[in-house]
Amino acid sequence: MSQTLNPAKTTDGTTTETEPDPAPAATAGTVPETLPRPAAAQRRRPSRTRRVLTTLRNAALKSAAVLALLVVWETAPRLGLVDRTFLPPFSEVAQAWWGLAADGQLAENTRASLVRSLAGFGIAVGVAVPFGLLIGWYRPVADLLNPLLEVFRNTAALALLPVFVLLLGIGETSKISIVVYACTWPVLLNTISAVRTADPTLVKLARSMDLPTHQLFAKVILPSSVPAVFTGVRLAGAVSILVLVAAEMIGAKAGLGYLVNASQFNFAIPQMYAGIITISAIGLAFNQVLVTIERRLTAWRVPLTA
């Protein structure tokens, strides 16, 4: 790049060219004019605001359907569209729920149901996951047990409830056992499928590296099986609540199923709906806990991009 020389006059009137004036040195603490600090701060604010707006919009979209249902539930009985004797407004159900919570009935029945459900669910997962890994990994074991598994998995758990009551009585053992039976099959079948459908490319690559069998199973099969196994675990979590409620309606002195059934017999309809709402809330919370655990265990997975 050429520099422009500054002309200067001498005493005899001629002109000479002098060196250009040096650029003024930047003083300490000055901000470059190309990227001033206020502009950078303004550039960060819209992104933060955009994230907040996106979060609020997503929350509104997720809750819109629920809010619409509650509005319809509240207005339909008041407008006479349905008989409020059998479907009271949501506000009356909320008052009944608060009354049950205040006198301790809701907490007592919820505690009884949670103990039975979590006990049966935990036993089922603890038995079905190792057993499913064994069946999925060893083909001879699968060929031997597959006919028996097909018979039991196609037999509804509630159809066997009278058998459990006859063999184990109407106490806690029969209720926990029916939950174990119902929760075992989703976990077991998804675990078997997860092992059998492991990525064959990864398996061949691991075998080409001469990995021992136990390392192949621990480093390839198990990590790739986690998502499918947790699908079965989440299904079992929902089944544990549903089957238990049905079992408590037949023979129990405490529990959410007992609360719903007793409220129906006593024609306490708002209390009945309060119990149903509590069951739904427990199911949603249980599923969210399992989703959080699954995300922690599968954090290594690369999310798919559109």
Side-chain angles (χ1 to χ4, degrees), residues 10-233:
T10 60
T11 54
D12 56 357
T14 62
T15 60
T16 61
E17 293 180 347
T18 62
E19 294 296 327
D21 296 331
T27 59
T30 59
V31 181
E33 294 181 357
T34 57
L35 186 60
R37 289 179 183 176
Q42 291 176 2
R43 194 174 293 176
R44 287 194 298 267
R45 288 172 188 167
S47 61
R48 187 178 305 170
T49 304
R50 192 179 300 111
R51 287 197 299 268
V52 174
L53 293 177
T54 302
T55 302
L56 294 176
R57 183 181 61 185
N58 292 336
L61 290 175
K62 292 180 180 180
S63 59
V66 177
L67 293 176
L69 175 62
L70 295 180
V71 170
V72 173
W73 189 353
E74 180 68 26
T75 56
R78 296 186 182 277
L79 296 177
L81 300 178
V82 295
D83 191 349
R84 64 185 301 163
T85 303
F86 303 104
L87 183 63
F90 177 74
S91 57
E92 296 182 8
V93 175
Q95 292 177 0
W97 187 92
W98 183 256
L100 291 173
D103 61 14
Q105 293 186 47
L106 189 64
E108 179 183 356
N109 290 290
T110 301
R111 189 183 306 110
S113 293
L114 284 179
V115 170
R116 297 163 182 159
S117 178
L118 293 177
F121 173 79
I123 294 172
V125 172
V127 172
V129 171
F131 201 44
L133 294 174
L134 178 66
I135 296 175
W137 184 249
Y138 293 104
R139 180 67 63 175
V141 178
D143 295 337
L144 176 64
L145 297 179
N146 187 61
L148 189 62
L149 295 178
E150 288 296 327
V151 171
F152 281 104
R153 83 181 185 90
N154 288 292
T155 304
L158 294 180
L160 295 177
L161 181 58
V163 178
F164 281 93
V165 172
L166 289 174
L167 296 178
L168 304 175
I170 60 173
E172 300 297 316
T173 305
S174 62
K175 297 176 181 59
I176 295 176
S177 299
I178 194 68
V179 173
V180 172
Y181 178 86
C183 293
T184 296
W185 303 112
V187 180
L188 180 65
L189 297 176
N190 277 273
T191 304
I192 296 173
S193 176
V195 175
R196 291 181 178 177
T197 58
D199 192 347
T201 304
L202 295 178
V203 175
K204 291 180 181 178
L205 181 61
R207 292 187 185 278
S208 66
M209 299 173 63
D210 295 331
L211 282 181
T213 303
H214 65 279
Q215 290 189 7
L216 171 65
F217 187 79
K219 295 184 178 181
V220 178
I221 302 299
L222 282 181
S224 63
S225 302
V226 170
V229 171
F230 259 91
T231 300
V233 171

